[in-house]
Amino acid sequence: MSAEANLARAEGEWGAEVGAAYSLPLLPGFTLRPGGGVFVYERENDRYFIDRFDDGDGRCRDITNGQFADSDLCGNTSVSAYARLEGTYTLLGTTEVGIGGRLSGDGLRPYATASFPVLPRVRVKANGGDRYFALGLRADF
């Protein structure tokens, strides 16, 4: 079992990936790692805005009709779930390299992955592919 926290560029946005995976050792050196998680990012919001008053307070408004709106609609934070599958090979006993596929709101994205240990059971990990990039830490349990 492992947990990951990454800074990522996915679905056309910068954000944070938080996920978990399960390691399935296949052959010596080869590991299959299915997993999933959420991508948290700030999305564009062209419909709602905070209208500031002279006293500094503000209320959420709908730009299409000028009416006040629920303040949650002015929040730009969005969460998107993803699933992924990685296959890796361990080189020189410590460094992992491999390939993976990430399934999310904008489809299946293949990517390359690499990681190396920085502490016992903690690795720096990088993923990179077509319109997808992530860099962060993986903790193995």
Side-chain angles (χ1 to χ4, degrees):
M1 185 75 179
S2 61
E4 281 188 29
N6 302 311
L7 172 63
R9 172 88 175 157
E11 302 175 34
E13 303 287 343
W14 282 100
E17 270 185 343
V18 180
Y22 187 76
S23 296
L24 301 167
L26 298 178
L27 300 170
F30 288 94
T31 302
L32 192 62
R33 193 171 288 111
V38 293
F39 178 57
V40 181
Y41 62 98
E42 189 172 314
R43 71 182 192 283
E44 296 278 330
N45 186 346
D46 294 334
R47 180 170 177 181
Y48 299 97
F49 70 100
I50 300 288
D51 187 11
R52 300 277 176 212
F53 304 117
D54 291 338
D55 62 3
D57 287 340
R59 293 261 327 257
C60 184
R61 273 192 198 264
D62 186 335
I63 201 167
T64 62
N65 60 19
Q67 297 295 313
F68 290 116
D70 184 8
S71 61
D72 290 342
L73 295 173
C74 281
N76 293 340
T77 302
S78 188
V79 177
S80 176
Y82 69 86
R84 71 173 173 214
L85 179 64
E86 295 177 351
T88 62
Y89 181 72
T90 303
L91 302 170
L92 305 173
T94 60
T95 302
E96 280 186 340
V97 295
I99 59 171
R102 183 180 185 277
L103 181 62
S104 64
D106 65 350
L108 180 64
R109 298 269 179 231
Y111 62 89
T113 185
S115 72
F116 62 91
V118 291
L119 293 170
R121 300 191 170 274
V122 178
R123 304 175 78 82
V124 169
K125 185 169 187 278
N127 301 333
D130 179 34
R131 293 180 284 169
Y132 171 63
F133 172 79
L135 178 65
L137 297 174
R138 184 181 91 206
D140 297 317
F141 305 100

